[in-house]
PDB file of all heavy atoms in Angstrom:
ATOM      1  N   ASP A   1     -20.864  40.863   4.866  1.00  0.00           N
ATOM      2  CA  ASP A   1     -21.260  42.130   5.491  1.00  0.00           C
ATOM      3  C   ASP A   1     -21.594  41.951   6.971  1.00  0.00           C
ATOM      4  O   ASP A   1     -21.240  42.778   7.796  1.00  0.00           O
ATOM      5  CB  ASP A   1     -22.466  42.708   4.745  1.00  0.00           C
ATOM      6  CG  ASP A   1     -22.132  43.093   3.322  1.00  0.00           C
ATOM      7  OD1 ASP A   1     -20.919  43.322   3.047  1.00  0.00           O
ATOM      8  OD2 ASP A   1     -23.053  43.152   2.494  1.00  0.00           O
ATOM      9  N   SER A   2     -22.255  40.842   7.287  1.00  0.00           N
ATOM     10  CA  SER A   2     -22.610  40.589   8.688  1.00  0.00           C
ATOM     11  C   SER A   2     -21.371  40.365   9.533  1.00  0.00           C
ATOM     12  O   SER A   2     -21.260  40.866  10.656  1.00  0.00           O
ATOM     13  CB  SER A   2     -23.555  39.389   8.797  1.00  0.00           C
ATOM     14  OG  SER A   2     -24.751  39.616   8.087  1.00  0.00           O
ATOM     15  N   LEU A   3     -20.407  39.607   9.011  1.00  0.00           N
ATOM     16  CA  LEU A   3     -19.173  39.340   9.772  1.00  0.00           C
ATOM     17  C   LEU A   3     -18.357  40.617   9.931  1.00  0.00           C
ATOM     18  O   LEU A   3     -17.761  40.848  10.993  1.00  0.00           O
ATOM     19  CB  LEU A   3     -18.351  38.259   9.057  1.00  0.00           C
ATOM     20  CG  LEU A   3     -18.966  36.848   9.072  1.00  0.00           C
ATOM     21  CD1 LEU A   3     -18.103  35.891   8.258  1.00  0.00           C
ATOM     22  CD2 LEU A   3     -19.111  36.328  10.492  1.00  0.00           C
ATOM     23  N   SER A   4     -18.316  41.423   8.899  1.00  0.00           N
ATOM     24  CA  SER A   4     -17.593  42.697   9.021  1.00  0.00           C
ATOM     25  C   SER A   4     -18.226  43.569  10.086  1.00  0.00           C
ATOM     26  O   SER A   4     -17.523  44.224  10.876  1.00  0.00           O
ATOM     27  CB  SER A   4     -17.593  43.428   7.669  1.00  0.00           C
ATOM     28  OG  SER A   4     -16.928  42.662   6.688  1.00  0.00           O
ATOM     29  N   ARG A   5     -19.538  43.576  10.126  1.00  0.00           N
ATOM     30  CA  ARG A   5     -20.232  44.381  11.126  1.00  0.00           C
ATOM     31  C   ARG A   5     -19.997  43.839  12.531  1.00  0.00           C
ATOM     32  O   ARG A   5     -19.770  44.604  13.488  1.00  0.00           O
ATOM     33  CB  ARG A   5     -21.733  44.401  10.818  1.00  0.00           C
ATOM     34  CG  ARG A   5     -22.581  45.139  11.842  1.00  0.00           C
ATOM     35  CD  ARG A   5     -24.034  45.167  11.422  1.00  0.00           C
ATOM     36  NE  ARG A   5     -24.528  43.834  11.104  1.00  0.00           N
ATOM     37  CZ  ARG A   5     -24.928  42.952  12.036  1.00  0.00           C
ATOM     38  NH1 ARG A   5     -24.867  43.261  13.314  1.00  0.00           N
ATOM     39  NH2 ARG A   5     -25.394  41.777  11.666  1.00  0.00           N
ATOM     40  N   LEU A   6     -19.990  42.503  12.697  1.00  0.00           N
ATOM     41  CA  LEU A   6     -19.799  41.905  14.022  1.00  0.00           C
ATOM     42  C   LEU A   6     -18.406  42.189  14.575  1.00  0.00           C
ATOM     43  O   LEU A   6     -18.236  42.493  15.763  1.00  0.00           O
ATOM     44  CB  LEU A   6     -20.036  40.394  13.949  1.00  0.00           C
ATOM     45  CG  LEU A   6     -21.488  39.917  13.826  1.00  0.00           C
ATOM     46  CD1 LEU A   6     -21.536  38.409  13.730  1.00  0.00           C
ATOM     47  CD2 LEU A   6     -22.296  40.395  15.034  1.00  0.00           C
ATOM     48  N   ALA A   8     -16.363  44.534  13.644  1.00  0.00           N
ATOM     49  CA  ALA A   8     -15.957  45.936  13.586  1.00  0.00           C
ATOM     50  C   ALA A   8     -15.720  46.501  14.981  1.00  0.00           C
ATOM     51  O   ALA A   8     -14.974  47.476  15.136  1.00  0.00           O
ATOM     52  CB  ALA A   8     -17.007  46.758  12.848  1.00  0.00           C
ATOM     53  N   ARG A   9     -16.342  45.908  15.992  1.00  0.00           N
ATOM     54  CA  ARG A   9     -16.125  46.391  17.371  1.00  0.00           C
ATOM     55  C   ARG A   9     -14.704  46.121  17.853  1.00  0.00           C
ATOM     56  O   ARG A   9     -14.245  46.735  18.820  1.00  0.00           O
ATOM     57  CB  ARG A   9     -17.108  45.695  18.318  1.00  0.00           C
ATOM     58  CG  ARG A   9     -16.830  44.215  18.529  1.00  0.00           C
ATOM     59  CD  ARG A   9     -17.888  43.530  19.383  1.00  0.00           C
ATOM     60  NE  ARG A   9     -19.139  43.395  18.634  1.00  0.00           N
ATOM     61  CZ  ARG A   9     -20.222  42.794  19.140  1.00  0.00           C
ATOM     62  NH1 ARG A   9     -20.191  42.310  20.379  1.00  0.00           N
ATOM     63  NH2 ARG A   9     -21.301  42.671  18.424  1.00  0.00           N
ATOM     64  N   LEU A  68     -24.418  37.480  17.705  1.00  0.00           N
ATOM     65  CA  LEU A  68     -25.654  37.336  16.941  1.00  0.00           C
ATOM     66  C   LEU A  68     -25.512  38.045  15.591  1.00  0.00           C
ATOM     67  O   LEU A  68     -25.256  39.245  15.533  1.00  0.00           O
ATOM     68  CB  LEU A  68     -26.828  37.928  17.721  1.00  0.00           C
ATOM     69  CG  LEU A  68     -27.115  37.287  19.095  1.00  0.00           C
ATOM     70  CD1 LEU A  68     -28.287  37.983  19.758  1.00  0.00           C
ATOM     71  CD2 LEU A  68     -27.384  35.796  18.957  1.00  0.00           C
ATOM     72  N   ILE A  69     -25.672  37.285  14.543  1.00  0.00           N
ATOM     73  CA  ILE A  69     -25.579  37.867  13.205  1.00  0.00           C
ATOM     74  C   ILE A  69     -26.852  38.608  12.853  1.00  0.00           C
ATOM     75  O   ILE A  69     -26.828  39.715  12.308  1.00  0.00           O
ATOM     76  CB  ILE A  69     -25.293  36.766  12.164  1.00  0.00           C
ATOM     77  CG1 ILE A  69     -23.890  36.211  12.379  1.00  0.00           C
ATOM     78  CG2 ILE A  69     -25.433  37.299  10.751  1.00  0.00           C
ATOM     79  CD1 ILE A  69     -23.503  35.147  11.376  1.00  0.00           C
ATOM     80  N   SER A  70     -27.992  38.028  13.181  1.00  0.00           N
ATOM     81  CA  SER A  70     -29.270  38.635  12.848  1.00  0.00           C
ATOM     82  C   SER A  70     -29.863  39.305  14.096  1.00  0.00           C
ATOM     83  O   SER A  70     -30.107  38.634  15.109  1.00  0.00           O
ATOM     84  CB  SER A  70     -30.247  37.580  12.318  1.00  0.00           C
ATOM     85  OG  SER A  70     -31.475  38.174  11.949  1.00  0.00           O
ATOM     86  N   THR A  71     -30.030  40.592  14.036  1.00  0.00           N
ATOM     87  CA  THR A  71     -30.624  41.347  15.141  1.00  0.00           C
ATOM     88  C   THR A  71     -31.777  42.189  14.602  1.00  0.00           C
ATOM     89  O   THR A  71     -32.025  42.231  13.387  1.00  0.00           O
ATOM     90  CB  THR A  71     -29.564  42.257  15.803  1.00  0.00           C
ATOM     91  OG1 THR A  71     -29.054  43.165  14.811  1.00  0.00           O
ATOM     92  CG2 THR A  71     -28.407  41.422  16.368  1.00  0.00           C
ATOM     93  N   GLU A  72     -32.461  42.867  15.514  1.00  0.00           N
ATOM     94  CA  GLU A  72     -33.574  43.701  15.072  1.00  0.00           C
ATOM     95  C   GLU A  72     -33.102  44.877  14.226  1.00  0.00           C
ATOM     96  O   GLU A  72     -33.777  45.284  13.271  1.00  0.00           O
ATOM     97  CB  GLU A  72     -34.342  44.213  16.297  1.00  0.00           C
ATOM     98  CG  GLU A  72     -35.044  43.109  17.073  1.00  0.00           C
ATOM     99  CD  GLU A  72     -35.836  43.685  18.233  1.00  0.00           C
ATOM    100  OE1 GLU A  72     -35.808  44.927  18.409  1.00  0.00           O
ATOM    101  OE2 GLU A  72     -36.488  42.907  18.973  1.00  0.00           O
ATOM    102  N   SER A  73     -31.958  45.402  14.576  1.00  0.00           N
ATOM    103  CA  SER A  73     -31.432  46.536  13.808  1.00  0.00           C
ATOM    104  C   SER A  73     -30.797  46.103  12.494  1.00  0.00           C
ATOM    105  O   SER A  73     -30.786  46.850  11.523  1.00  0.00           O
ATOM    106  CB  SER A  73     -30.410  47.312  14.649  1.00  0.00           C
ATOM    107  OG  SER A  73     -29.348  46.452  15.031  1.00  0.00           O
ATOM    108  N   HIS A  74     -30.249  44.857  12.461  1.00  0.00           N
ATOM    109  CA  HIS A  74     -29.613  44.324  11.253  1.00  0.00           C
ATOM    110  C   HIS A  74     -30.140  42.904  11.007  1.00  0.00           C
ATOM    111  O   HIS A  74     -29.433  41.926  11.261  1.00  0.00           O
ATOM    112  CB  HIS A  74     -28.089  44.315  11.369  1.00  0.00           C
ATOM    113  CG  HIS A  74     -27.490  45.669  11.530  1.00  0.00           C
ATOM    114  ND1 HIS A  74     -27.351  46.296  12.763  1.00  0.00           N
ATOM    115  CD2 HIS A  74     -27.002  46.554  10.608  1.00  0.00           C
ATOM    116  CE1 HIS A  74     -26.803  47.483  12.606  1.00  0.00           C
ATOM    117  NE2 HIS A  74     -26.588  47.657  11.306  1.00  0.00           N
ATOM    118  N   PRO A  75     -31.366  42.772  10.553  1.00  0.00           N
ATOM    119  CA  PRO A  75     -31.919  41.428  10.337  1.00  0.00           C
ATOM    120  C   PRO A  75     -31.335  40.767   9.079  1.00  0.00           C
ATOM    121  O   PRO A  75     -31.045  41.433   8.095  1.00  0.00           O
ATOM    122  CB  PRO A  75     -33.414  41.689  10.172  1.00  0.00           C
ATOM    123  CG  PRO A  75     -33.482  43.079   9.632  1.00  0.00           C
ATOM    124  CD  PRO A  75     -32.325  43.839  10.247  1.00  0.00           C
ATOM    125  N   VAL A  76     -31.148  39.462   9.187  1.00  0.00           N
ATOM    126  CA  VAL A  76     -30.695  38.669   8.038  1.00  0.00           C
ATOM    127  C   VAL A  76     -31.916  38.032   7.389  1.00  0.00           C
ATOM    128  O   VAL A  76     -32.759  37.442   8.066  1.00  0.00           O
ATOM    129  CB  VAL A  76     -29.697  37.585   8.495  1.00  0.00           C
ATOM    130  CG1 VAL A  76     -29.309  36.695   7.305  1.00  0.00           C
ATOM    131  CG2 VAL A  76     -28.451  38.229   9.090  1.00  0.00           C
ATOM    132  N   LYS A  77     -32.012  38.159   6.090  1.00  0.00           N
ATOM    133  CA  LYS A  77     -33.172  37.634   5.384  1.00  0.00           C
ATOM    134  C   LYS A  77     -33.198  36.114   5.437  1.00  0.00           C
ATOM    135  O   LYS A  77     -32.194  35.452   5.187  1.00  0.00           O
ATOM    136  CB  LYS A  77     -33.167  38.096   3.929  1.00  0.00           C
ATOM    137  CG  LYS A  77     -33.383  39.597   3.762  1.00  0.00           C
ATOM    138  CD  LYS A  77     -33.421  39.986   2.302  1.00  0.00           C
ATOM    139  CE  LYS A  77     -33.653  41.484   2.142  1.00  0.00           C
ATOM    140  NZ  LYS A  77     -33.710  41.889   0.724  1.00  0.00           N
ATOM    141  N   THR A  78     -34.369  35.577   5.772  1.00  0.00           N
ATOM    142  CA  THR A  78     -34.572  34.132   5.795  1.00  0.00           C
ATOM    143  C   THR A  78     -35.936  33.824   5.181  1.00  0.00           C
ATOM    144  O   THR A  78     -36.765  34.720   4.966  1.00  0.00           O
ATOM    145  CB  THR A  78     -34.542  33.589   7.242  1.00  0.00           C
ATOM    146  OG1 THR A  78     -35.537  34.274   8.017  1.00  0.00           O
ATOM    147  CG2 THR A  78     -33.167  33.796   7.876  1.00  0.00           C
TER     148      THR A  78
END
Side-chain angles (χ1 to χ4, degrees):
D1 295 337
S2 299
L3 292 176
S4 298
R5 176 177 52 81
L6 286 178
R9 69 185 72 178
L68 300 179
I69 292 181
S70 182
T71 60
E72 294 182 0
S73 59
H74 298 86
V76 176
K77 292 183 179 180
T78 57

